[in-house]
Amino acid sequence: MSIREKVGWGIGGLLIVVYCLFPIAWIVSLSFKSSADISNGSFLPTVATNENYETILTGDAAELFLPALRNSFGICLIATALACLLAMFAAYAIARLDFRGKKLILSTALAVAIFPVISIVTPLFNLWREIGLYDTWLGLILPYLSLTLPISIWTLSAFFREIPWEMEQAAQVDGATPWQAFRKVIVPLAAPGVFTTAIIAFFLAWNDFVYGISLTSTSASRPVPAALGLFTGASQFESPTGPIAAAAVIVTIPVVVLVLIFQRRIVAGLTNGAVKG
Amino acid sequence: MTTTEARPAAPAAAGGKHQASDKSRSEARLAWLLAGPAFAVMLLVTAYPILQAFYESLFDYRLTDPANRSFTGLSNYGVILTDPVWWDAFGVTVLITVVTVAVELVLGFALALVMVQALKALRPILRAAILIPYAVITVVSAFAWQFAFAPDSGFVNSWFSFVGLAPDTDWFGSPGSAIFVICLAEIWKTTPFISLLLLAGLAQVPEVLQEAAKVDGATWWQRMRKVTIPNMKAAIMVALLFRTLDAFRVFDSVYVMTAGANGTEVLSFLAYRQTIARLEIGLGSAVSVLLFISVVLICGLFIKGFKVDLSQARGE
């Protein structure tokens, strides 16, 4: 590649970085604007202030935001763990065992992934109210499985197919019990795949909005995206732009940290699951 | 409840007492024991609710007046399909879907090409950057774009005043400009996903073919048209299918930016408004079922019309 081409592709790359980060930079900048500064019409605040963060962490909006943050973490972690556990068994069967119905399970997962969430919400809203799951953690964890389970099955079976399963038999020949062989040989090989799948599933659950606003009504179970969407401000006379921006930054931090640490794995997991599955 | 069925994985060969002829049967039994819970949960959280929705759509039923619940057959569907509200929402949804998917495909392809060519040093940075829009929650992205364009908190009006934009331009006041901003937000958020899929597709184009075409004197554009794109057709189709279905379900951005006002109501929002906001369970269920049928139709169209072979795309 000539120098000119190199520079060209380098600039292209920088443009991508700007494209990807620009809205994030803007919401961060907005979160540091004081209420007088919000409408200054410029990208940056004239003076950076942390009053918005105080509002949502210790001030008027804290009792809205902090429980929502707790709910989001709890519900998403449980839904992710459940999805990974169930998907692990299913993916093991798909990758390792020969049985009829393999295709059926994979196509069901695909069908569930393309299912319009809003079509599930209507009947669930009614059903949850009748059986008392409305506005509870379990009432969100169950529907979140419809988001997390399909992609977990696809990505995990893609990972599991690449594991050299013969090693397990080799260990058994060397005198290990089947369970020992599985635990000592296969589990360490499968762990990175399971971990990657967990991150992707967590992103999906963390991103949910439709279930969050439809199946909850109080801070007992309302997750962050729904709390943000429904947040109308601490006082009726002040538009809550700054506090929303601060809250948006806080919920974006875990996601950005995960991306920065595990970027290589996440890309591999996403493309393997979708293209090679 | 279903998790209790799942047992620790033990290889099929474990039960030594099975005869060789029984082996495949016991293997299948173990496989279903392992995969069954996941399968059951998937059916429980989707198939069951959609059947329930279909059943409820046959009733005139509102939660504010439960005593007057009555069976009305398919009349809810008649009401919806003859109402311009449905067709307006349908039009907006199709418009957003077509615009975003078309732009995302072109932009995503460009991003994928740059990522393939970009300098080694830049690659990890690009990979991390491109994952950020994918991972940021849609509501946050919607707020970022809304605040940027809003006349009170935004910078867009002042930045683009040189093209004659008034400082109090209300982007969310009319359907055209509001849908434009909604599309921008959607495109920003989901282009990276498309470009990752296309990047994986690019990697599957045989290098030999590229070289051969180069030797034969094909220009960059000719190679693109005759070698690269035909060879990644499967990846393109999968990306297109996923994104079309995803775009057709657009909800979060619309809810945050306009709440369906000023001619921006989409089908998902219509379903939400009927059920959750107006508590019209019967009508809302019918909208949900119609939305579901639309998605199934799109899927069928893609698979029949474009001959998407998913198993081929998955490199089998």
Side-chain angles (χ1 to χ4, degrees):
Chain A
M1 225 188 314
S2 72
I3 298 279
R4 241 186 76 190
E5 276 178 336
K6 270 190 185 171
V7 170
W9 291 117
I11 291 173
L14 286 179
L15 281 178
I16 294 183
V17 174
V18 171
Y19 167 85
C20 292
L21 299 185
F22 187 72
I24 302 301
W26 156 241
I27 203 103
V28 171
S29 155
L30 192 59
S31 74
F32 286 109
K33 284 184 176 182
S34 68
S35 41
D37 226 8
I38 289 283
S39 53
N40 68 0
S42 79
F43 190 83
L44 294 171
T46 35
V47 185
T49 151
N50 57 3
E51 72 182 45
N52 295 318
Y53 289 92
E54 273 167 13
T55 309
I56 58 160
L57 292 177
T58 55
D60 297 339
E63 70 232 49
L64 275 168
F65 181 68
L66 293 180
L69 201 58
R70 198 192 56 219
N71 290 335
S72 263
F73 265 110
I75 294 170
C76 294
L77 285 177
I78 295 173
T80 303
L82 269 181
C84 279
L85 191 72
L86 291 175
M88 224 157 62
F89 293 131
Y92 175 81
I94 288 165
R96 179 82 166 86
L97 305 172
D98 192 32
F99 68 109
R100 277 171 46 180
K102 214 180 259 196
K103 273 236 152 79
L104 176 69
I105 292 170
L106 285 175
S107 22
T108 306
L110 192 65
V112 171
I114 61 173
F115 214 88
V117 168
I118 201 85
S119 296
I120 312 178
V121 147
T122 308
L124 282 188
F125 173 70
N126 216 10
L127 185 66
W128 276 191
R129 292 170 61 96
E130 275 166 27
I131 62 176
L133 281 181
Y134 183 71
D135 202 23
T136 64
W137 276 28
L138 188 60
L140 279 186
I141 291 168
L142 286 179
Y144 276 13
L145 289 177
S146 77
L147 305 171
T148 52
L149 202 46
I151 196 145
S152 303
I153 292 177
W154 274 104
T155 41
L156 267 181
S157 32
F159 275 116
F160 280 13
R161 275 194 195 137
E162 282 163 24
I163 290 178
W165 294 98
E166 302 77 28
M167 286 173 67
E168 187 189 10
Q169 280 151 357
Q172 282 186 52
V173 170
D174 289 346
T177 66
W179 175 238
Q180 277 176 331
F182 181 77
R183 202 169 52 91
K184 296 248 163 102
V185 179
I186 298 304
V187 170
L189 284 173
V194 175
F195 188 71
T196 307
T197 307
I199 293 175
I200 294 173
F202 182 80
F203 280 173
L204 283 175
W206 190 247
N207 186 31
D208 160 73
F209 182 63
V210 178
Y211 289 133
I213 55 166
S214 308
L215 302 178
T216 66
S217 60
T218 66
S219 61
S221 67
R222 177 156 284 162
V224 170
L228 274 178
L230 298 168
F231 185 48
T232 47
S235 100
Q236 277 193 315
F237 305 102
E238 206 176 307
S239 120
T241 306
I244 286 181
V249 171
I250 290 178
V251 297
T252 306
I253 290 171
V255 154
V256 171
V257 170
L258 284 176
V259 161
L260 289 181
I261 303 178
F262 303 110
Q263 33 151 327
R264 190 190 294 264
R265 284 206 188 146
I266 299 169
V267 171
L270 274 178
T271 49
N272 275 347
V275 182
K276 282 195 212 138
Chain B
M1 60 229 108
T2 39
T3 47
T4 51
E5 289 168 33
R7 285 201 212 133
K17 60 189 170 209
H18 289 295
Q19 298 296 310
S21 56
D22 287 339
K23 203 187 153 200
S24 68
R25 209 184 308 154
S26 81
E27 192 168 309
R29 212 174 48 220
L30 176 70
W32 270 106
L33 211 61
L34 291 172
F39 188 66
V41 169
M42 286 194 294
L43 290 186
L44 196 76
V45 293
T46 48
Y48 175 72
I50 197 69
L51 288 177
Q52 180 77 17
F54 183 71
Y55 174 75
E56 273 161 3
S57 73
L58 303 176
F59 290 84
D60 178 13
Y61 178 30
R62 59 187 74 170
L63 271 186
T64 46
D65 186 15
N68 279 330
R69 183 174 188 261
S70 61
F71 182 80
T72 55
L74 294 174
S75 80
N76 281 332
Y77 293 93
V79 170
I80 294 163
L81 291 175
T82 52
D83 194 323
V85 170
W86 160 268
W87 292 108
D88 287 347
F90 190 83
V92 173
T93 312
V94 170
L95 179 69
I96 292 178
T97 306
V98 171
V99 170
T100 55
V101 173
V103 175
E104 282 172 23
L105 196 63
V106 176
L107 196 60
F109 197 69
L111 295 197
L113 284 179
V114 174
M115 295 224 284
V116 166
Q117 299 284 350
L119 311 176
K120 274 227 170 68
L122 207 55
R123 230 171 261 168
I125 302 171
L126 281 185
R127 201 168 42 208
I130 211 156
L131 279 174
I132 285 176
Y134 166 79
V136 161
I137 64 177
T138 317
V139 172
V140 166
S141 137
F143 271 122
W145 289 90
Q146 190 214 9
F147 290 151
F149 279 85
D152 57 342
S153 58
F155 60 87
V156 171
N157 284 344
S158 63
W159 273 23
F160 292 96
S161 59
F162 69 92
V163 291
L165 213 53
D168 58 348
T169 305
D170 181 9
W171 289 83
F172 302 101
S174 69
S177 55
I179 290 171
F180 172 76
V181 183
I182 290 170
C183 286
L184 275 185
E186 287 287 300
I187 289 167
W188 176 76
K189 167 91 176 88
T190 49
T191 302
F193 179 69
I194 278 207
S195 71
L196 285 176
L197 288 187
L198 294 179
L199 190 64
L202 271 179
Q204 285 175 342
V205 178
E207 196 64 31
V208 196
L209 286 180
Q210 294 281 18
E211 290 302 322
K214 229 183 220 171
V215 171
D216 289 346
T219 62
W220 182 85
W221 178 240
Q222 281 172 327
R223 271 182 284 140
M224 195 52 72
R225 264 187 47 213
K226 302 271 159 129
V227 180
T228 312
I229 292 178
N231 268 296
M232 51 187 293
K233 204 176 142 214
I236 295 175
M237 284 307 163
V238 170
L240 210 56
L241 173 64
F242 276 128
R243 272 305 304 149
T244 304
L245 293 171
D246 216 22
F248 201 77
R249 300 178 290 183
V250 57
F251 180 83
D252 308 13
S253 303
V254 174
Y255 184 99
V256 167
M257 291 199 206
T258 62
N262 300 325
T264 58
E265 185 160 80
V266 289
L267 291 178
S268 291
F269 197 84
L270 182 64
Y272 168 82
R273 200 161 57 88
Q274 290 301 328
T275 318
I276 315 292
R278 296 187 59 212
L279 303 176
E280 288 267 12
I281 302 293
L283 271 180
S285 298
V287 174
S288 298
V289 171
L290 286 172
L291 185 65
F292 170 66
I293 293 173
S294 312
V295 165
V296 172
L297 282 181
I298 294 175
C299 215
L301 270 179
F302 259 91
I303 288 166
K304 276 261 175 333
F306 294 100
K307 301 202 167 46
V308 182
D309 184 359
L310 285 172
S311 62
Q312 186 201 342
R314 289 168 193 286
E316 277 165 14

